[in-house]
Amino acid sequence: EFPTHAPARSVFAFAVEASAAADVPGRLRLSWYDPERRPQIGERWRLVVRLKRPSGSLNPGGFDFERWLFVNGFGATGYVREAELLNTPGAAPNRAWRAGVQGVRGALAARLGASDRGAADGGAATALLQALVLGTRHGFADRHWELLRRTGTSHLVAISGLHVGLVAVLVLGLLRPVLVRVSAHWVAERAWPLAGSFGFIAASVYAALAGFTLPTQRALVMLAVGVAALWMNRRVGTGAALAVALVLVLLWDASAPLSPGFWLSFVAVASLIQVARVRRLRSRHPALELLRAQWRIGIGLLPCLAIFFGVVNGLAPWVNLIAIPWFSLVLVPAVLIGVLLVVVLPGDGERILELLRTLCGLTWSGLEWVDARVQLLWPLPELPVALVGVMLTAVGLLALPIRHQGRWLLLTALVGVCLWRPPALPVGAFTVHLWDVGQGLAMLIRTRHHAVVYDTGPSSPYGFSAAQAIVLPALQARGVKAPDLLILSHGDNDHAGGAAVLQDAFAGIGVLVGGTHGALRGRRCHSGQRWRWDEVEFRVLYPPLALKDSSNNLSCVLRVDGPGGSVLLTGDIERRGERRLLNAGEQLAADVVVVPHHGSNSSSSAAFVKAVAPSVALVAAGYGNRWGFPKAAVVKRWQAEGARLVSTDGAGAIEISIAAKKSDLATRVTLFRADNPRYWRRRPSSW
């Protein structure tokens, strides 16, 4: 893959040729902070790195980074401590061909983007051009991906089966008429398989330019099935060919089903096959048949989009009705032919590239035009297994190549699943969601009709925001359309780094701010503030309005009380803040507590722990964090008071349910990692 570069950080895949340690995996994903020289694809480096086993935050609705690492073959992640460039690209004796291909890709990427400095479209045209030629997506910014997501066209900018198959078909279509007219009888008689073989070779070259990514590998396997059928002079039904390709893909890569692209590609092809069986595409109205085909593909892909992305995009089928033919018949052939001409006619290369950028720019402008006028995204909460089964069954029955009167009932069932929302909590009950945001804190407290977000997790100067990547998807997964209140315990980045993201996402949301950070927008959080929602009482216990202290010791301490139990949220208060709470005579005893300051030795004094005496103590800490939170002495103090201590670094997201009545087994704890075990994930741990 191409490295991605931020102002002070580079992230890249590194293939290990030799290592001083015997147990270093062969493929690493590394970060290099403040690099002295940005690494480029195909280069060889000698690195001193600090590694850790694959891990990632685990939350409802969030991206499963550990699965992504597993699917892409990364055995470890880490960061660079020392580096030495060994030589130029292509010098590795035992990997010469691979290094040579990567060197060509790097040089071509630089050539395609050489004169795109300060483009008015923010580099979108060049990024699109590079994506279609090389399969690289490092040129797209977050705003570009957001546009592609809203228009449902992300699949068109990644070299996949569509693009690889198109290259093979183009070469076959051009060569077969030529081979038929060749005087040699053997060649003319085998024009189809020979043209198909050359098409396969051309597709393989294109896949090499794309870096032999998993989607291109799957496409080549499927093409190989078709070419083999041509050589055997056998008519293989489309369904049988798809089944054989499916088996071969699974033999080639057993982890393929873990990728959304696997399901999207096979389901789309299967949907087209069903369209052909039902209609035979012999209608006198081809435009109507095209609309029907797009409709059936949209229905077929509905479960995939709901399961993998938690969204139904009503605009995507209609945009793709135009976008797929445009990309397939115009843009991709023009781009590939144009790049070939750049290589053959270097003197005219810049003019050809400018034409290609213009064509890509017009395509991008068309997507922007549509997006500015129509948006039909329908976000879905996390669906129960039973509803996923209903959706799959309905789509499967709709795909049957027969007419049946129950199809409208099946469509109604699909609409019903898309309209489903999680059942409301009983009056007096509430839930606490502690999300796994790494080294930081982000929480949700939810009653029957209201929701409060307490802290937002960290943001990074390199582009990552826990609010964007974790908090917003988790809110959607739990069916929260818009929280009523945002509380920022204090202004430290690990607690309030995503404040702006949430305030932009939920315009007009009320905000309470603790600490001393003046840049945060909102009202000052202080003791004495209280409100009652759905028979659940919220009280701010600390800090006093006029108090002066460090930002940590001015953290907003919130207590939530319901008929079935209580929760205490403490921010980053340290021992001095704890003493003030004890001296103020506030009611501190609680069923559940969020341990102050991530389990640091600076907090959780013996007197404070004894006063709270919870049954459950929660710690928000990042996996393998450099401070060693939670500290062993802190863990022992909470456990000595009878608390079950659970940390996000081992448990992932944690959800606490407080019942509406004390007699209803008031506190129920759900650990996301333990409840969702997968063989590619590190095992959950607890104290």
Side-chain angles (χ1 to χ4, degrees):
E1 295 87 0
F2 281 83
T4 56
H5 302 296
R9 181 195 187 203
S10 293
V11 180
F12 56 97
F14 189 75
V16 178
E17 293 180 5
S19 171
D23 57 348
V24 173
R27 183 170 163 84
L28 310 174
R29 187 176 190 268
L30 300 177
S31 297
W32 190 357
Y33 298 94
D34 297 316
E36 56 197 46
R37 180 185 183 279
R38 290 183 171 181
Q40 302 300 324
I41 191 168
E43 292 178 340
R44 296 178 70 238
W45 289 80
R46 179 181 290 117
L47 303 175
V48 176
V49 298
R50 185 180 181 91
L51 299 177
K52 65 177 181 180
R53 58 182 175 178
S55 63
S57 298
L58 197 60
N59 297 277
F63 177 67
D64 191 341
F65 185 58
E66 291 178 36
R67 179 175 68 181
W68 182 86
L69 291 172
F70 177 79
V71 169
N72 288 277
F74 291 108
T77 62
Y79 62 89
V80 176
R81 301 185 68 175
E82 298 177 19
E84 175 190 358
L85 179 63
L86 295 181
N87 50 24
T88 56
N94 59 335
R95 302 191 182 193
W97 72 270
R98 184 181 295 273
V101 170
Q102 300 291 44
V104 170
R105 295 182 72 216
L108 189 53
R111 182 77 174 92
L112 295 177
S115 47
D116 184 44
R117 299 291 183 264
D121 62 358
T126 295
L128 180 57
L129 179 60
Q130 291 175 327
L132 294 178
V133 176
L134 301 168
T136 173
R137 295 181 278 178
H138 71 283
F140 290 113
D142 288 343
R143 64 183 183 279
H144 299 144
W145 285 118
E146 186 62 22
L147 173 67
L148 293 169
R149 184 182 74 89
R150 290 195 300 264
T151 55
T153 52
S154 301
H155 63 103
L156 294 176
V157 303
I159 293 180
S160 59
L162 174 67
H163 304 79
V164 174
L166 175 63
V167 170
V169 169
L170 284 174
V171 173
L172 185 149
L174 291 172
L175 277 183
R176 182 185 168 278
V178 176
L179 294 175
V180 168
R181 290 169 174 78
V182 172
S183 56
H185 177 70
W186 185 89
V187 173
E189 193 177 54
R190 294 167 177 80
W192 272 107
L194 283 172
S197 299
F198 281 110
F200 179 80
I201 293 171
S204 300
V205 173
Y206 188 37
L209 282 178
F212 279 120
T213 58
L214 293 177
T216 62
Q217 292 176 25
R218 291 197 296 266
L220 289 177
V221 170
M222 296 173 75
L223 283 174
V225 173
V227 173
L230 289 175
W231 277 109
M232 291 186 294
N233 196 25
R234 296 190 61 179
R235 290 184 175 274
V236 180
T238 50
L242 185 67
V244 172
L246 176 61
V247 171
L248 291 177
V249 165
L250 293 175
L251 291 174
W252 179 268
D253 177 19
S255 67
L258 298 178
S259 169
F262 169 88
W263 296 99
L264 292 171
S265 58
F266 274 100
V267 170
V269 173
S271 300
L272 282 174
I273 291 173
Q274 290 302 98
V275 170
R277 284 179 177 175
V278 174
R279 303 293 179 183
R280 300 299 181 187
L281 296 178
R282 294 175 181 172
S283 171
R284 297 179 181 178
H285 305 286
L288 181 60
E289 292 301 336
L290 189 60
L291 287 172
R292 285 172 173 163
Q294 197 69 13
W295 163 254
R296 285 183 173 267
I297 292 173
I299 292 294
L301 293 178
L302 185 61
C304 298
L305 297 175
I307 294 169
F308 289 112
F309 305 109
V311 68
V312 174
N313 193 335
L315 181 62
W318 314 114
V319 172
N320 281 290
L321 192 63
I322 299 173
I324 290 177
W326 170 257
F327 273 74
S328 303
L329 303 178
V330 180
L331 188 60
V332 173
V335 163
L336 295 180
I337 293 171
V339 170
L340 184 62
L341 289 176
V342 169
V343 176
V344 176
L345 305 171
D348 297 320
E350 192 51 48
R351 281 182 291 178
I352 296 172
L353 287 178
E354 190 57 38
L355 287 173
L356 295 180
R357 289 193 194 97
T358 300
L359 189 60
C360 290
L362 290 172
T363 302
W364 195 263
S365 297
L367 295 177
E368 290 179 326
W369 184 88
V370 173
D371 180 64
R373 285 155 179 79
V374 184
Q375 290 186 19
L376 296 175
L377 280 179
W378 182 257
L380 297 176
E382 196 168 66
L383 297 174
V385 174
L387 288 184
V388 172
V390 169
M391 180 177 282
L392 292 173
T393 302
V395 169
L397 292 174
L398 283 169
L400 292 175
I402 57 174
R403 290 181 174 272
H404 50 89
Q405 296 300 319
R407 61 184 181 277
W408 295 112
L409 184 61
L410 295 173
L411 287 173
T412 303
L414 285 178
V415 172
V417 171
C418 293
L419 293 176
W420 178 86
R421 290 295 179 267
L425 295 169
V427 172
F430 66 98
T431 58
V432 177
H433 307 256
L434 176 60
W435 292 313
D436 179 13
V437 295
Q439 188 55 39
L441 179 67
M443 300 182 65
L444 170 71
I445 304 99
R446 196 161 51 112
T447 68
R448 181 177 178 85
H449 297 299
H450 298 276
V452 177
V453 172
Y454 182 93
D455 283 344
T456 67
S459 62
S460 164
Y462 313 114
F464 173 79
S465 168
Q468 189 71 50
I470 296 172
V471 175
L472 291 179
L475 288 172
Q476 177 183 318
R478 290 299 177 252
V480 178
K481 290 185 177 180
D484 301 274
L485 181 65
L486 169 62
I487 299 177
L488 304 171
S489 64
H490 61 301
D492 287 1
N493 177 68
D494 59 333
H495 290 254
V501 171
L502 289 187
Q503 287 176 289
D504 290 343
F506 306 111
I509 186 174
V511 182
L512 291 179
V513 182
T516 59
H517 202 294
L520 297 174
R521 293 176 286 162
R523 295 182 293 124
R524 180 70 184 271
C525 177
H526 61 84
S527 55
Q529 294 170 319
R530 63 171 58 199
W531 60 96
R532 193 176 187 86
W533 284 335
D534 305 318
E535 300 304 318
V536 177
E537 185 177 24
F538 295 78
R539 287 190 294 145
V540 176
L541 305 184
Y542 182 89
L545 185 58
L547 182 66
K548 304 293 184 182
D549 205 330
S550 67
S551 185
N552 280 355
N553 273 320
L554 292 177
S555 291
C556 184
V557 176
L558 179 70
R559 180 183 180 87
V560 186
D561 284 284
S566 56
V567 177
L568 185 65
L569 284 63
T570 58
D572 272 357
I573 59 168
E574 299 173 342
R575 291 172 183 257
R576 192 161 59 242
E578 293 173 356
R579 283 197 301 271
R580 291 191 186 113
L581 274 169
L582 291 168
N583 293 336
E586 294 284 2
Q587 181 185 359
L588 297 180
D591 297 290
V592 180
V593 66
V594 179
V595 173
H597 204 181
H598 316 286
S600 165
N601 279 330
S602 65
S603 307
S604 298
S605 61
F608 183 77
V609 171
K610 188 175 183 64
V612 179
S615 58
V616 179
L618 306 178
V619 178
Y623 172 70
N625 67 84
R626 58 179 175 171
W627 298 278
F629 295 157
K631 294 293 187 179
V634 171
V635 172
K636 289 179 181 178
R637 278 200 291 275
W638 288 104
Q639 289 178 335
E641 284 298 326
R644 175 191 179 188
L645 190 139
V646 189
S647 178
T648 56
D649 67 339
I654 304 167
E655 297 184 0
I656 309 287
S657 299
I658 307 293
K661 297 179 181 178
K662 197 69 175 179
S663 60
D664 290 349
L665 188 59
T667 305
R668 187 174 75 251
V669 182
T670 301
L671 308 181
F672 203 71
R673 188 175 290 275
D675 281 15
N676 297 273
R678 300 292 185 271
Y679 58 85
W680 60 83
R681 293 179 186 156
R682 57 182 173 86
R683 293 182 179 179
S685 60
S686 60
W687 295 90

